[in-house]
Amino acid sequence: MYSVGIVGTGSYVPEDVLTNADLEKMVDTNDEWITTRTGIKERHIAKEGVPLSELCYQAAIRALADAQVSPEELDLVMVMTVSADYAFPATACIVADRLGAKRAAAFDLEAGCSGFLYGAATGSQFIATGMYRTVLIIGAETLSKLVNWEDRSTCILFGDGAGAAVLQRVDEGYGFLSFELGADGGGGELLIVPGGGSAHPATAETVANKLHTIHMAGSEVYKFAVRVMGETAVKALAKAGLAKENVDLLVPHQANIRIIDASVKRLGISPDKVIVNVDRYGNMSAASIPVALDEAVRAGRIHYGDIVLMVAFGAGLTWGGSVLKWARKGLQG
Ligand code: ACO
Protein backbone atom coordinates (compact mmCIF):
# COMPACT_ATOMS: atom_id res chain seq x y z
CA MET A 1 0.00 0.00 0.00
CA TYR A 2 1.25 3.48 -0.87
CA SER A 3 1.15 6.37 1.62
CA VAL A 4 -1.49 8.94 0.64
CA GLY A 5 -1.80 12.55 1.76
CA ILE A 6 -3.22 15.95 0.96
CA VAL A 7 -1.03 17.87 -1.50
CA GLY A 8 -3.26 20.93 -1.99
CA THR A 9 -6.28 22.58 -0.40
CA GLY A 10 -8.79 25.24 -1.39
CA SER A 11 -12.03 26.66 -0.07
CA TYR A 12 -14.81 29.02 -1.01
CA VAL A 13 -17.76 30.61 0.76
CA PRO A 14 -20.42 32.74 -0.94
CA GLU A 15 -20.04 36.48 -0.42
CA ASP A 16 -23.45 37.17 1.17
CA VAL A 17 -23.27 37.20 4.98
CA LEU A 18 -26.23 36.60 7.29
CA THR A 19 -25.57 37.96 10.79
CA ASN A 20 -27.35 37.24 14.06
CA ALA A 21 -28.78 40.76 13.82
CA ASP A 22 -30.30 39.82 10.43
CA LEU A 23 -31.83 36.68 11.99
CA GLU A 24 -33.38 38.78 14.76
CA LYS A 25 -35.53 40.36 12.04
CA MET A 26 -36.59 36.98 10.64
CA VAL A 27 -37.43 34.84 13.71
CA ASP A 28 -37.92 35.28 17.45
CA THR A 29 -34.26 35.08 18.48
CA ASN A 30 -31.40 37.32 19.56
CA ASP A 31 -27.64 37.61 19.22
CA GLU A 32 -27.05 36.79 22.89
CA TRP A 33 -28.98 33.47 22.70
CA ILE A 34 -27.30 32.39 19.47
CA THR A 35 -23.81 33.37 20.66
CA THR A 36 -24.00 31.70 24.06
CA ARG A 37 -25.73 28.51 22.81
CA THR A 38 -23.74 28.03 19.60
CA GLY A 39 -20.81 30.47 19.29
CA ILE A 40 -22.07 31.47 15.84
CA LYS A 41 -22.01 35.17 14.87
CA GLU A 42 -22.56 34.99 11.12
CA ARG A 43 -22.79 32.56 8.22
CA HIS A 44 -22.42 32.81 4.43
CA ILE A 45 -25.41 32.13 2.22
CA ALA A 46 -25.49 31.25 -1.50
CA LYS A 47 -27.67 33.55 -3.58
CA GLU A 48 -30.88 32.27 -5.10
CA GLY A 49 -30.03 30.42 -8.29
CA VAL A 50 -26.48 29.55 -7.17
CA PRO A 51 -26.23 25.74 -6.90
CA LEU A 52 -23.83 23.61 -4.88
CA SER A 53 -21.72 22.83 -7.96
CA GLU A 54 -20.70 26.49 -8.22
CA LEU A 55 -19.28 26.44 -4.67
CA CYS A 56 -17.56 23.11 -5.40
CA TYR A 57 -16.02 24.49 -8.59
CA GLN A 58 -14.64 27.56 -6.82
CA ALA A 59 -13.08 25.49 -4.02
CA ALA A 60 -11.75 22.95 -6.53
CA ILE A 61 -9.88 25.44 -8.74
CA ARG A 62 -8.19 26.86 -5.63
CA ALA A 63 -7.14 23.39 -4.44
CA LEU A 64 -5.85 22.40 -7.89
CA ALA A 65 -3.82 25.63 -8.11
CA ASP A 66 -2.44 25.02 -4.63
CA ALA A 67 -1.42 21.47 -5.56
CA GLN A 68 -0.18 22.56 -9.01
CA VAL A 69 -2.29 19.84 -10.55
CA SER A 70 -4.24 20.30 -13.81
CA PRO A 71 -7.82 19.04 -14.19
CA GLU A 72 -6.63 16.60 -16.89
CA GLU A 73 -4.50 14.84 -14.28
CA LEU A 74 -7.50 13.98 -12.09
CA ASP A 75 -8.49 10.31 -11.99
CA LEU A 76 -11.47 10.79 -9.72
CA VAL A 77 -13.65 13.66 -8.46
CA MET A 78 -15.77 13.10 -5.36
CA VAL A 79 -18.30 15.47 -3.80
CA MET A 80 -19.43 14.87 -0.23
CA THR A 81 -22.73 16.61 0.49
CA VAL A 82 -26.34 16.37 1.65
CA SER A 83 -27.40 19.34 -0.49
CA ALA A 84 -26.56 18.27 -4.04
CA ASP A 85 -27.65 20.20 -7.15
CA TYR A 86 -30.11 17.42 -8.00
CA ALA A 87 -31.32 14.04 -6.69
CA PHE A 88 -29.37 12.93 -9.78
CA PRO A 89 -27.08 13.31 -11.66
CA ALA A 90 -24.29 13.48 -9.10
CA THR A 91 -22.88 16.94 -8.45
CA ALA A 92 -19.37 15.46 -8.84
CA CYS A 93 -20.13 14.81 -12.54
CA ILE A 94 -21.19 18.42 -13.02
CA VAL A 95 -18.07 19.71 -11.26
CA ALA A 96 -15.71 17.38 -13.17
CA ASP A 97 -17.23 18.58 -16.44
CA ARG A 98 -16.85 22.26 -15.50
CA LEU A 99 -13.25 21.69 -14.46
CA GLY A 100 -12.44 19.88 -17.69
CA ALA A 101 -11.43 16.75 -15.78
CA LYS A 102 -11.98 14.63 -18.88
CA ARG A 103 -10.25 11.46 -17.63
CA ALA A 104 -11.91 11.47 -14.20
CA ALA A 105 -14.53 9.16 -12.76
CA ALA A 106 -16.98 11.07 -10.57
CA PHE A 107 -19.48 10.33 -7.83
CA ASP A 108 -21.15 11.83 -4.76
CA LEU A 109 -20.93 10.40 -1.27
CA GLU A 110 -23.31 11.22 1.56
CA ALA A 111 -22.34 10.92 5.23
CA GLY A 112 -23.72 14.16 6.71
CA CYS A 113 -21.18 16.33 8.47
CA SER A 114 -18.74 13.39 8.58
CA GLY A 115 -18.75 13.42 4.78
CA PHE A 116 -15.31 14.90 4.24
CA LEU A 117 -13.62 12.26 6.37
CA TYR A 118 -15.63 9.44 4.75
CA GLY A 119 -14.57 10.93 1.41
CA ALA A 120 -10.93 11.19 2.40
CA ALA A 121 -10.96 7.54 3.52
CA THR A 122 -12.66 6.41 0.31
CA GLY A 123 -10.62 8.54 -2.09
CA SER A 124 -7.31 7.63 -0.52
CA GLN A 125 -7.97 3.87 -0.93
CA PHE A 126 -7.84 4.25 -4.73
CA ILE A 127 -4.36 5.77 -4.45
CA ALA A 128 -3.10 3.48 -1.69
CA THR A 129 -3.84 0.44 -3.87
CA GLY A 130 -2.22 1.99 -6.95
CA MET A 131 -5.44 2.16 -8.99
CA TYR A 132 -5.37 5.98 -9.24
CA ARG A 133 -2.72 8.67 -8.84
CA THR A 134 -4.72 11.87 -8.23
CA VAL A 135 -8.11 12.25 -6.53
CA LEU A 136 -10.01 15.49 -5.85
CA ILE A 137 -12.30 15.39 -2.80
CA ILE A 138 -14.76 18.21 -2.13
CA GLY A 139 -16.91 18.66 0.99
CA ALA A 140 -19.61 21.20 0.18
CA GLU A 141 -23.05 22.32 1.32
CA THR A 142 -25.80 24.78 0.47
CA LEU A 143 -27.81 24.01 3.61
CA SER A 144 -29.47 27.43 3.38
CA LYS A 145 -31.61 25.86 0.67
CA LEU A 146 -32.75 23.04 2.99
CA VAL A 147 -33.39 25.14 6.09
CA ASN A 148 -36.87 26.07 7.33
CA TRP A 149 -36.35 29.81 7.74
CA GLU A 150 -39.32 29.95 10.13
CA ASP A 151 -37.80 27.42 12.57
CA ARG A 152 -35.59 29.36 14.98
CA SER A 153 -34.11 26.20 16.49
CA THR A 154 -32.42 25.21 13.21
CA CYS A 155 -32.20 28.23 10.89
CA ILE A 156 -29.61 29.95 13.08
CA LEU A 157 -27.18 27.03 12.87
CA PHE A 158 -26.24 26.43 9.27
CA GLY A 159 -24.19 28.11 6.54
CA ASP A 160 -23.00 27.46 2.99
CA GLY A 161 -19.47 26.76 1.75
CA ALA A 162 -17.08 24.32 0.10
CA GLY A 163 -13.63 22.93 0.87
CA ALA A 164 -11.51 20.81 -1.45
CA ALA A 165 -8.35 18.73 -1.17
CA VAL A 166 -6.14 17.03 -3.76
CA LEU A 167 -4.93 13.56 -2.74
CA GLN A 168 -1.76 11.94 -4.08
CA ARG A 169 0.98 9.59 -3.00
CA VAL A 170 3.34 11.14 -0.45
CA ASP A 171 6.56 10.10 1.30
CA GLU A 172 6.24 6.76 3.09
CA GLY A 173 5.01 7.19 6.66
CA TYR A 174 3.39 10.56 5.88
CA GLY A 175 -0.19 11.39 4.92
CA PHE A 176 -3.21 9.62 6.39
CA LEU A 177 -2.08 7.45 9.29
CA SER A 178 -5.56 6.29 10.31
CA PHE A 179 -9.28 6.49 9.66
CA GLU A 180 -11.98 5.64 12.19
CA LEU A 181 -15.47 5.66 10.69
CA GLY A 182 -18.81 4.64 12.17
CA ALA A 183 -22.57 4.84 11.76
CA ASP A 184 -25.76 4.26 13.73
CA GLY A 185 -28.80 4.40 11.48
CA GLY A 186 -30.99 3.93 14.56
CA GLY A 187 -30.46 7.64 15.22
CA GLY A 188 -31.29 8.68 11.67
CA GLU A 189 -34.50 10.48 12.55
CA LEU A 190 -32.72 12.83 14.95
CA LEU A 191 -31.39 14.79 11.99
CA ILE A 192 -33.32 14.37 8.78
CA VAL A 193 -34.88 15.95 5.71
CA PRO A 194 -37.90 13.63 5.61
CA GLY A 195 -39.56 14.68 2.34
CA GLY A 196 -38.61 14.52 -1.32
CA GLY A 197 -37.05 11.02 -1.30
CA SER A 198 -38.71 7.66 -1.98
CA ALA A 199 -40.08 7.40 1.57
CA HIS A 200 -42.13 10.58 1.14
CA PRO A 201 -41.99 11.72 -2.49
CA ALA A 202 -42.62 15.42 -3.00
CA THR A 203 -46.29 16.38 -3.05
CA ALA A 204 -48.10 19.63 -2.37
CA GLU A 205 -48.71 18.22 1.13
CA THR A 206 -45.04 17.44 1.88
CA VAL A 207 -44.13 20.95 0.79
CA ALA A 208 -46.93 22.54 2.84
CA ASN A 209 -45.73 20.57 5.87
CA LYS A 210 -42.11 21.60 5.21
CA LEU A 211 -40.94 18.00 5.03
CA HIS A 212 -38.32 19.09 2.47
CA THR A 213 -36.48 21.05 5.21
CA ILE A 214 -34.09 20.07 8.01
CA HIS A 215 -35.74 18.52 11.10
CA MET A 216 -33.49 18.11 14.12
CA ALA A 217 -33.75 16.92 17.72
CA GLY A 218 -31.10 19.39 18.89
CA SER A 219 -30.39 18.25 22.43
CA GLU A 220 -30.22 14.54 21.42
CA VAL A 221 -27.77 15.39 18.65
CA TYR A 222 -25.78 17.50 21.10
CA LYS A 223 -25.34 14.64 23.60
CA PHE A 224 -24.42 12.19 20.84
CA ALA A 225 -21.91 14.68 19.41
CA VAL A 226 -20.01 15.29 22.62
CA ARG A 227 -19.72 11.55 23.34
CA VAL A 228 -18.74 10.44 19.87
CA MET A 229 -16.26 13.25 19.11
CA GLY A 230 -14.08 12.27 22.07
CA GLU A 231 -14.38 8.50 21.54
CA THR A 232 -13.64 8.73 17.83
CA ALA A 233 -10.63 10.99 18.31
CA VAL A 234 -9.12 8.56 20.85
CA LYS A 235 -9.71 5.57 18.52
CA ALA A 236 -8.22 7.37 15.49
CA LEU A 237 -5.12 8.27 17.51
CA ALA A 238 -4.74 4.71 18.84
CA LYS A 239 -5.01 3.28 15.31
CA ALA A 240 -2.19 5.62 14.27
CA GLY A 241 -0.13 4.50 17.27
CA LEU A 242 -0.19 8.02 18.70
CA ALA A 243 -1.38 9.76 21.86
CA LYS A 244 -3.09 13.10 22.42
CA GLU A 245 0.32 14.59 23.32
CA ASN A 246 1.45 14.00 19.72
CA VAL A 247 -1.30 16.16 18.23
CA ASP A 248 -0.07 19.45 16.75
CA LEU A 249 -3.47 20.58 15.49
CA LEU A 250 -7.06 19.48 16.04
CA VAL A 251 -9.55 20.29 13.28
CA PRO A 252 -12.99 19.38 14.65
CA HIS A 253 -16.31 19.58 12.83
CA GLN A 254 -17.59 23.11 13.42
CA ALA A 255 -21.19 22.63 14.58
CA ASN A 256 -21.32 24.48 17.88
CA ILE A 257 -18.61 26.00 20.09
CA ARG A 258 -19.99 24.21 23.14
CA ILE A 259 -19.64 20.82 21.41
CA ILE A 260 -16.06 21.70 20.40
CA ASP A 261 -15.15 22.96 23.89
CA ALA A 262 -16.66 19.94 25.65
CA SER A 263 -14.91 17.50 23.29
CA VAL A 264 -11.56 19.27 23.63
CA LYS A 265 -11.88 19.23 27.40
CA ARG A 266 -12.70 15.50 27.42
CA LEU A 267 -9.75 14.80 25.13
CA GLY A 268 -7.39 16.89 27.19
CA ILE A 269 -5.92 18.73 24.20
CA SER A 270 -4.73 22.30 24.70
CA PRO A 271 -7.28 24.80 23.26
CA ASP A 272 -4.51 26.68 21.42
CA LYS A 273 -4.10 23.61 19.19
CA VAL A 274 -7.74 23.70 18.08
CA ILE A 275 -8.99 25.35 14.89
CA VAL A 276 -12.27 27.22 15.42
CA ASN A 277 -14.15 29.19 12.76
CA VAL A 278 -17.77 28.34 13.63
CA ASP A 279 -18.26 31.97 14.69
CA ARG A 280 -17.81 33.14 11.07
CA TYR A 281 -19.43 30.31 9.12
CA GLY A 282 -21.90 28.42 11.30
CA ASN A 283 -22.27 24.71 10.62
CA MET A 284 -21.30 24.00 7.01
CA SER A 285 -21.72 20.24 7.47
CA ALA A 286 -19.43 18.36 5.04
CA ALA A 287 -17.64 21.62 4.14
CA SER A 288 -16.77 22.41 7.73
CA ILE A 289 -13.52 20.42 8.13
CA PRO A 290 -12.00 21.11 4.68
CA VAL A 291 -12.69 24.86 4.96
CA ALA A 292 -11.12 24.94 8.44
CA LEU A 293 -8.17 22.87 7.20
CA ASP A 294 -7.60 25.18 4.23
CA GLU A 295 -7.75 28.25 6.46
CA ALA A 296 -5.24 26.66 8.83
CA VAL A 297 -2.87 25.86 5.94
CA ARG A 298 -3.11 29.38 4.55
CA ALA A 299 -2.59 30.90 8.01
CA GLY A 300 0.68 28.95 8.29
CA ARG A 301 -0.59 26.84 11.18
CA ILE A 302 0.32 23.48 9.58
CA HIS A 303 3.90 22.48 8.78
CA TYR A 304 5.59 19.50 7.15
CA GLY A 305 5.48 16.57 9.57
CA ASP A 306 2.77 18.02 11.83
CA ILE A 307 0.20 15.61 13.25
CA VAL A 308 -3.30 16.83 12.39
CA LEU A 309 -6.30 15.18 14.04
CA MET A 310 -9.69 15.64 12.36
CA VAL A 311 -12.95 14.48 13.92
CA ALA A 312 -16.62 14.83 12.94
CA PHE A 313 -20.17 13.68 13.64
CA GLY A 314 -23.29 14.14 11.59
CA ALA A 315 -26.56 13.00 10.07
CA GLY A 316 -26.93 9.27 9.63
CA LEU A 317 -25.98 9.22 12.39
CA THR A 318 -22.34 9.03 11.34
CA TRP A 319 -18.96 9.80 12.81
CA GLY A 320 -15.40 9.88 11.58
CA GLY A 321 -11.88 10.61 12.72
CA SER A 322 -8.54 10.70 10.94
CA VAL A 323 -4.92 11.31 11.82
CA LEU A 324 -2.86 12.99 9.12
CA LYS A 325 0.89 13.52 9.10
CA TRP A 326 1.19 16.61 6.96
CA ALA A 327 3.13 16.18 3.73
CA ARG A 328 2.95 18.67 0.92
CA LYS A 329 5.10 16.79 -1.53
CA GLY A 330 3.01 15.07 -4.20
CA LEU A 331 3.81 12.29 -6.65
CA GLN A 332 6.73 13.22 -8.90
CA GLY A 333 7.05 12.01 -12.51
N1 ACO B 1 -33.44 31.81 19.83
C1 ACO B 1 -34.01 31.89 21.06
N2 ACO B 1 -34.52 30.84 21.70
C2 ACO B 1 -34.44 29.63 21.10
C3 ACO B 1 -33.85 29.48 19.82
C4 ACO B 1 -33.36 30.63 19.19
N3 ACO B 1 -32.78 30.60 17.97
N4 ACO B 1 -33.91 28.19 19.47
C5 ACO B 1 -34.49 27.53 20.48
N5 ACO B 1 -34.82 28.41 21.46
C6 ACO B 1 -35.47 28.14 22.73
C7 ACO B 1 -36.23 26.84 22.72
O1 ACO B 1 -37.53 27.03 22.20
C8 ACO B 1 -36.27 26.51 24.19
O2 ACO B 1 -37.27 27.26 24.81
P1 ACO B 1 -38.23 26.59 25.93
O3 ACO B 1 -37.28 26.20 27.04
O4 ACO B 1 -39.15 27.70 26.27
O5 ACO B 1 -38.86 25.43 25.26
C9 ACO B 1 -34.94 27.02 24.72
O6 ACO B 1 -34.47 27.96 23.73
C10 ACO B 1 -33.87 25.96 24.91
O7 ACO B 1 -33.86 25.15 23.75
P2 ACO B 1 -32.92 23.90 23.63
O8 ACO B 1 -33.16 23.24 22.30
O9 ACO B 1 -32.99 23.07 24.86
O10 ACO B 1 -31.51 24.62 23.60
P3 ACO B 1 -30.09 23.97 23.67
O11 ACO B 1 -29.33 24.55 24.75
O12 ACO B 1 -30.15 22.47 23.52
O13 ACO B 1 -29.43 24.49 22.30
C11 ACO B 1 -28.94 23.82 20.06
C12 ACO B 1 -30.02 24.19 21.05
C13 ACO B 1 -28.00 24.99 19.87
C14 ACO B 1 -29.61 23.47 18.73
C15 ACO B 1 -28.15 22.61 20.62
O14 ACO B 1 -29.03 21.61 21.02
C16 ACO B 1 -27.20 22.03 19.61
O15 ACO B 1 -26.25 22.66 19.20
N6 ACO B 1 -27.41 20.74 19.20
C17 ACO B 1 -26.56 20.10 18.23
C18 ACO B 1 -27.01 20.51 16.88
C19 ACO B 1 -26.04 20.14 15.82
O16 ACO B 1 -24.86 20.18 16.00
N7 ACO B 1 -26.58 19.80 14.65
C20 ACO B 1 -25.81 19.57 13.50
C21 ACO B 1 -25.48 18.15 13.35
S1 ACO B 1 -24.43 17.86 12.04
C22 ACO B 1 -25.19 17.61 10.55
O17 ACO B 1 -25.10 16.53 9.98
C23 ACO B 1 -25.97 18.71 9.87
Side-chain angles (χ1 to χ4, degrees):
M1 290 289 216
Y2 297 110
S3 294
V4 184
I6 291 176
V7 298
T9 61
S11 61
Y12 174 78
V13 292
E15 67 188 55
D16 288 359
V17 172
L18 186 72
T19 65
N20 291 351
D22 295 329
L23 282 163
E24 285 178 8
K25 294 177 204 139
M26 297 163 62
V27 288
D28 180 14
T29 190
N30 57 74
D31 175 54
E32 203 263 328
W33 193 96
I34 300 173
T35 306
T36 52
R37 300 288 177 124
T38 71
I40 301 166
K41 286 297 211 182
E42 58 188 37
R43 59 296 278 149
H44 291 247
I45 304 290
K47 284 190 203 308
E48 206 180 318
V50 173
L52 184 82
S53 55
E54 168 64 18
L55 277 59
C56 292
Y57 174 75
Q58 294 296 341
I61 54 174
R62 288 160 173 78
L64 290 173
D66 189 41
Q68 297 181 13
V69 162
S70 72
E72 294 79 23
E73 290 174 72
L74 293 173
D75 297 301
L76 172 65
V77 175
M78 294 170 57
V79 171
M80 280 62 72
T81 191
V82 298
S83 46
D85 282 18
Y86 306 107
F88 67 85
T91 302
C93 297
I94 298 166
V95 176
D97 180 56
R98 262 194 85 184
L99 289 170
K102 296 192 190 316
R103 297 177 41 244
F107 65 89
D108 289 359
L109 185 159
E110 186 187 305
C113 303
S114 313
F116 183 76
L117 296 181
Y118 267 69
T122 306
S124 65
Q125 304 309 309
F126 289 100
I127 301 171
T129 55
M131 178 169 168
Y132 288 150
R133 290 158 72 98
T134 308
V135 174
L136 174 66
I137 58 172
I138 309 168
E141 301 288 2
T142 44
L143 290 177
S144 66
K145 296 172 196 287
L146 294 180
V147 156
N148 175 358
W149 289 104
E150 291 166 8
D151 176 8
R152 67 176 182 173
S153 65
T154 52
C155 75
I156 56 147
L157 296 173
F158 301 106
D160 301 339
V166 178
L167 308 183
Q168 281 186 337
R169 273 156 62 180
V170 293
D171 289 341
E172 204 180 327
Y174 283 74
F176 294 107
L177 303 185
S178 72
F179 287 105
E180 171 68 27
L181 306 176
D184 174 11
E189 296 202 342
L190 298 178
L191 190 49
I192 188 169
V193 174
S198 61
H200 302 288
T203 62
E205 203 183 341
T206 62
V207 174
N209 292 331
K210 303 243 189 270
L211 296 188
H212 57 292
T213 66
I214 295 172
H215 292 238
M216 184 179 76
S219 58
E220 298 304 313
V221 174
Y222 185 95
K223 279 178 248 162
F224 155 75
V226 172
R227 175 176 58 79
V228 87
M229 292 274 273
E231 283 175 10
T232 307
V234 168
K235 285 184 186 161
L237 279 169
K239 269 191 180 171
L242 297 172
K244 63 183 186 195
E245 291 75 20
N246 301 115
V247 175
D248 295 299
L249 203 67
L250 172 64
V251 185
H253 170 44
Q254 310 281 318
N256 179 321
I257 193 65
R258 289 190 297 149
I259 294 174
I260 295 174
D261 286 347
S263 312
V264 168
K265 207 170 160 194
R266 274 191 176 200
L267 268 170
I269 286 178
S270 167
D272 61 5
K273 292 184 175 175
V274 184
I275 295 290
V276 175
N277 65 10
V278 67
D279 52 326
R280 290 179 286 128
Y281 300 123
N283 180 349
M284 296 188 291
S285 187
S288 144
I289 286 184
V291 170
L293 188 67
D294 181 51
E295 287 195 339
V297 170
R298 285 168 201 272
R301 291 192 65 179
I302 306 183
H303 309 101
Y304 188 78
D306 277 357
I307 297 294
V308 181
L309 172 63
M310 299 177 281
V311 61
F313 67 93
L317 299 167
T318 61
W319 55 91
S322 178
V323 176
L324 180 63
K325 187 169 182 181
W326 194 252
R328 289 285 309 208
K329 202 157 26 122
L331 181 68
Q332 303 298 312

